[in-house]
Amino acid sequence: VTILECPPMYIVGVVGYVETPRGLRTLTTVFAEHLDEQFKRRMYKNWYHSKKKAFTRYVKKYTDQARKPIEKELARIEKYCQVVRVIAHTQVKKLDINLKKAHVMEIQVNGGTVKDKLEFAKGLFERTVPISGVFKQNEMIDVIGVTKGKGFEG
């Protein structure tokens, strides 16, 4: 029996993809207004020596003319995109590990029309998604472990 410690994931953005003959292409990305420090740390190589200015200009889009630039980008996703994914990050402060940078990933939103997917993703902005929202208790899942492969060394 393996026990995994899984703090809730935090949703910070949404990405829209357009299907092209050569595969998916990113059309646009919309981030939430308030971004956690753990997420911003991942955007820097060295947080200590940085000026910590990531996303400061982007946040101003939320105050400009009643969020007009943000709504425009969301309308573009709704009109042109076929695939919608949310940007989520882990909450490493809730774990007992010596790590301050959050792990960031994209999670695809499925079901319904693109408008439904976008409304669902917007509803999750700046919210946590607990593990109980994804899996049920006693549900069987497959877990893959990847190692560096050192042979018989251990």
Side-chain angles (χ1 to χ4, degrees):
V1 174
T2 304
I3 298 173
L4 298 174
E5 189 175 6
C6 302
M9 299 285 287
Y10 195 78
I11 306 299
V12 292
V14 63
V15 186
Y17 287 93
V18 179
E19 288 179 356
T20 65
R22 290 179 283 167
L24 293 177
R25 182 180 67 84
T26 305
L27 180 72
T28 187
T29 305
V30 178
F31 287 97
E33 185 174 3
H34 305 289
L35 299 174
D36 199 29
E37 182 189 306
Q38 301 168 68
F39 176 73
K40 289 182 186 178
R41 277 180 183 267
R42 180 55 67 186
M43 301 298 132
Y44 286 99
K45 182 174 174 62
N46 191 334
W47 177 257
Y48 178 75
H49 288 295
S50 69
K51 295 181 180 177
K52 300 164 184 63
K53 301 271 291 176
F55 296 100
T56 53
R57 288 186 181 164
Y58 189 85
V59 171
K60 292 177 184 173
K61 289 183 180 181
Y62 276 93
T63 58
D64 291 349
Q65 306 158 4
R67 301 178 171 206
K68 194 172 183 181
I70 299 295
E71 295 300 326
K72 186 178 175 184
E73 292 297 316
L74 289 170
R76 280 184 67 210
I77 291 175
E78 186 178 328
K79 186 175 181 181
Y80 298 112
C81 294
Q82 288 84 32
V83 178
V84 177
R85 295 180 181 171
V86 292
I87 300 172
H89 73 78
T90 56
Q91 296 182 349
V92 291
K93 285 188 177 179
K94 294 187 175 183
L95 294 174
D96 192 23
I97 55 176
N98 195 12
L99 188 69
K100 294 182 181 178
K101 285 185 181 182
H103 297 102
V104 181
M105 66 185 71
E106 286 185 4
I107 303 169
Q108 188 158 320
V109 180
N110 292 324
T113 63
V114 175
K115 185 176 183 179
D116 296 338
K117 294 176 191 178
L118 200 58
E119 289 300 317
F120 180 74
K122 274 177 27 182
L124 291 176
F125 267 17
E126 300 178 22
R127 292 202 180 150
T128 58
V129 178
I131 195 77
S132 61
V134 180
F135 300 109
K136 295 180 229 133
Q137 189 168 351
N138 297 329
E139 185 177 353
M140 301 295 279
I141 59 171
D142 290 329
V143 179
I144 298 172
V146 179
T147 64
K148 291 182 180 177
K150 298 188 177 177
F152 294 109
E153 194 173 298

